[in-house]
Amino acid sequence: MDIEDTRKGQVKESLQKKDIHEGWESAYRTPENEKFYELAFDWIIHNITPPADSLFLDAGCGNCSHSIHLAKRGFKVQAVDFSESVLGMAEENVRLRGFTERIKIQREDLTALSFENETFSHILCWGVLMHIPDVEKAIGELARVLKPGGILIISEGNMYELQSIVLNVYRLLTGKKMEEFKRTPTGIERWKQTPVGSLFVRQADIGWLVKRLEKQGLVVKKRIAGQFTELYTKVSHPILQKLIHRFNNFWFRYIRIPYLSFVNILILQKI
């Protein structure tokens, strides 16, 4: 087994741990963030206009918070994730929110989905590809299970975002240790050490991602900014956090320019 296979195994092992998902939930499933997600999903649904009761695949569903955003808007969801521990959290979340009839949950590996070709007319993949080393295989699987004319919604980190530039300048000026990053054709990658093991993280080269999606027959219909920054995870003062969230919501409502934003949202259609 080579080093890349070993690391892929480490990622899968880390993603099985409940602590990883609880940390993400604590950082991102906050009332202020929920305001942003409500804005984002309203905009997405308005722009793709799916028929009522359309079935979405939530690829990499985590605790099903985004599946719930879809279910609240009248859609059915097949939610899948690799981690058995997070699927337990997802089942409890869906049950407490009263969406067990609209959201079905099962374990899947995004690099080897069990679904037949052209199963889904709509797929959501939100903040997931960034943690998959073999991203091309995952892209191929998403394209394979999407119907012709179907819509794929992807939210991914952007390697050219302003936040990293500012943080890296700050680290240089203050003498703080720089994290080890590797530039690859797919983006900027790093192996982050956590208390439960190695976690793979990628800020995508969105241009590369778009080209690979086009090779799979997926054409970009919309590309906009998601959250402009995630600096709210770096500061502890509640007033600063609130100001950052308000700026993110303002940027998404009125500007949406993606190129320096921390997150980009892509809406693609399969031809």
Side-chain angles (χ1 to χ4, degrees), residues 66-85:
H66 294 322
S67 297
I68 290 169
H69 287 131
L70 293 169
K72 282 170 57 180
R73 288 162 173 79
F75 307 111
K76 297 176 182 177
V77 185
Q78 175 63 70
V80 303
D81 203 287
F82 177 78
S83 169
E84 291 177 341
S85 62

Side-chain angles (χ1 to χ4, degrees), residues 120-167:
F120 299 97
S121 58
H122 298 85
I123 299 176
L124 175 73
C125 189
W126 193 286
V128 177
L129 297 178
M130 63 181 65
H131 297 300
I132 300 178
D134 197 348
V135 64
E136 293 202 55
K137 189 174 286 188
I139 289 170
E141 282 295 275
L142 293 173
R144 180 183 67 80
V145 301
L146 185 64
K147 294 178 179 180
I151 297 294
L152 171 63
I153 305 147
I154 290 178
S155 175
E156 280 293 295
N158 168 31
M159 66 175 281
Y160 295 110
E161 48 91 15
L162 185 62
Q163 175 182 312
S164 287
I165 297 170
V166 172
L167 287 175

